[in-house]
Amino acid sequence: MFYNSSKILFTTIMIIGTLITVTSNSWLGAWMGLEINLLSFIPLLSDNNNLMSTEASLKYFLTQALASTVLLFSSILLMLANNLNNEINESFTSMIIMSALLLKSGAAPFHFWFPNMMEGLTWMNALMLMTWQKIAPLMLISYLNIKNLLLISVILSVIIGAIGGLNQTSLRKLMAFSSINHLGWMLSSLMISESIWLIYFIFYSFLSFVLTFMFNIFKLFHLNQLFSWFVNSKILKFSLFMNFLSLGGLPPFLGFLPKWLVIQQLTMCNQYFLLTLMMMSTLITLFFYLRICYSAFMLNYFENNWIMEMNMNSKNTNLYLIMTFFSIFGLFLISLFFFML
């Protein structure tokens, strides 16, 4: 992907668009950065080897253009409400702006475009959509921080992200619903502290990168491929499903650490009802992750092993195993580091 000069150009412009949005001091400047980000990300979505990429890029353009239009007009209304000192219109337009930003980030109840679009992307584009493309909308949401609307979005995101992944056989849709669930946790951390949100986002991005990196190496797109492609390599099979459990937030692994921080801060803020819903939704996600892992370890399929032999020679496998080590034992290493301090 990154050896193509046009891809490098559009990736650079996409990063610049996000930085413009994050550093702007007006809604018009933030809208401009989002538009630059959008128009540079769409060419990155097009892939000649993937027939669904054109459809996915069109879906992305339509939803993001709708959100950008709403954001632009509501920011103009907000400016007029500030000039007229009308508090009712100001709060209403702020809610509209936040709804547009939630649509851009793919949070529930504005999530309907997200899983279908993920299905048509390559793994590297899906990774950018799950991680980098969420930075700018989430930063703008933190400026507004309307508690009632944010609370509704958090509850719906964690519930829909958990229930939506139960009956999925596509890995890209599974990662999409997992992203919606994690987005609910990130929005709840935004209600408390931006530093906790940043920590959660960094850990989530790392764990998503480890899994998508593996899926991209072996060209895995469906669950039955996970069962049949790792018969000869028990280490890769074990590491892959441990990364699933780490992404789900099972306590011994690294993915539990950011959730631990959010749980601690929500407890200190007396948000017990919200915390209960979020933990129950996480148990549902862990249930279908554990179900996948149990099926993979108990069942062995012996077809397609020649594909596995071809890909096992890749140099990227060693890099993946190193990242998996930090994903599995990262919590222990961080705890040991602070204990030594």
Side-chain angles (χ1 to χ4, degrees):
M1 169 185 171
F2 292 104
Y3 296 106
N4 192 334
S5 58
S6 62
K7 299 276 186 181
I8 296 172
L9 175 65
F10 287 123
T11 305
T12 307
I13 297 173
M14 182 185 70
I15 294 170
I16 291 171
T18 302
L19 294 178
I20 289 172
T21 301
V22 171
T23 57
S24 64
N25 57 359
S26 67
W27 286 109
L28 188 63
W31 171 81
M32 183 178 68
L34 287 171
E35 287 301 298
I36 293 171
N37 179 275
L38 166 64
L39 295 175
S40 59
F41 186 58
I42 288 173
L44 293 173
L45 296 179
S46 61
D47 185 13
N48 295 328
N49 297 323
N50 190 357
L51 297 176
M52 296 176 67
S53 61
T54 307
E55 180 188 350
S57 59
L58 183 60
K59 286 178 182 177
Y60 186 75
F61 173 74
L62 291 175
T63 53
Q64 297 294 314
L66 173 64
S68 296
T69 306
V70 173
L71 178 63
L72 179 62
F73 280 100
S74 54
S75 60
I76 294 170
L77 289 175
L78 183 63
M79 182 182 66
L80 293 174
N82 286 332
N83 293 334
L84 297 173
N85 294 322
N86 192 336
E87 294 182 0
I88 298 175
N89 288 337
E90 185 178 344
S91 61
F92 179 70
T93 50
S94 297
M95 289 182 66
I96 297 175
I97 290 175
M98 195 163 183
S99 300
L101 294 172
L102 290 172
L103 176 60
K104 274 191 167 293
S105 61
F110 310 103
H111 67 284
F112 298 101
W113 61 274
F114 192 71
N116 291 327
M117 188 197 157
M118 280 277 290
E119 188 65 25
L121 299 182
T122 61
W123 277 118
M124 289 298 104
N125 288 333
L127 178 65
M128 282 195 290
L129 184 65
M130 289 189 295
T131 55
W132 183 263
Q133 292 300 95
K134 285 182 168 45
I135 294 176
L138 288 175
M139 283 298 293
L140 295 177
I141 286 170
S142 69
Y143 300 154
L144 292 169
N145 204 2
I146 302 171
K147 290 290 177 67
N148 294 332
L149 185 57
L150 204 56
L151 194 65
I152 293 169
S153 181
V154 167
I155 292 171
L156 289 175
S157 294
V158 294
I159 292 174
I160 290 170
I163 295 175
L166 280 173
N167 59 345
Q168 298 299 328
T169 58
S170 169
L171 289 174
R172 283 174 291 195
K173 282 193 176 180
L174 194 68
M175 293 294 288
F177 282 107
S178 174
S179 179
I180 293 170
N181 181 268
H182 281 282
L183 190 57
W185 281 81
M186 282 187 265
L187 289 173
S188 67
S189 63
L190 271 180
M191 294 167 56
I192 309 162
S193 167
E194 285 187 23
S195 58
I196 294 177
W197 166 74
L198 187 61
I199 292 169
Y200 196 105
F201 182 80
I202 290 170
F203 279 98
Y204 167 71
S205 300
F206 172 72
L207 294 173
S208 298
F209 175 73
V210 174
L211 275 173
T212 52
F213 184 74
M214 180 65 165
F215 295 152
N216 189 51
I217 291 174
F218 294 103
K219 299 295 180 284
L220 302 173
F221 297 104
H222 296 91
L223 284 180
N224 59 350
Q225 291 175 286
L226 297 181
F227 303 152
S228 61
W229 283 27
F230 294 100
V231 174
N232 294 334
S233 178
K234 297 297 185 288
I235 295 176
L236 280 177
K237 194 172 189 177
F238 179 81
S239 64
L240 175 66
F241 293 108
M242 290 303 103
N243 282 319
F244 262 122
L245 297 179
S246 183
L247 185 67
L250 200 65
F253 305 121
L254 185 64
F256 175 65
L257 180 60
K259 291 192 174 182
W260 188 8
L261 295 175
V262 175
I263 289 169
Q264 186 178 11
Q265 292 298 318
L266 285 174
T267 306
M268 292 172 65
C269 295
N270 297 322
Q271 298 280 351
Y272 298 115
F273 174 72
L274 177 63
L275 183 59
T276 304
L277 281 176
M278 291 167 62
M279 292 175 67
M280 287 173 64
S281 71
T282 305
L283 288 176
I284 296 174
T285 58
L286 277 173
F287 163 72
F288 62 74
Y289 284 150
L290 280 169
R291 185 176 63 182
I292 294 168
C293 297
Y294 182 79
S295 302
F297 284 126
M298 293 297 108
L299 302 174
N300 276 331
Y301 297 91
F302 290 97
E303 63 266 26
N304 295 337
N305 287 352
W306 60 275
I307 303 175
M308 183 64 197
E309 291 297 329
M310 281 199 308
N311 288 310
M312 274 298 294
N313 296 324
S314 174
K315 295 179 182 178
N316 294 328
T317 309
N318 294 327
L319 177 61
Y320 167 74
L321 291 175
I322 292 170
M323 292 188 294
T324 300
F325 174 80
F326 287 106
S327 174
I328 296 174
F329 299 105
L331 183 60
F332 172 75
L333 295 174
I334 292 172
S335 303
L336 185 64
F337 173 74
F338 282 106
F339 178 76
M340 291 175 67
L341 289 178

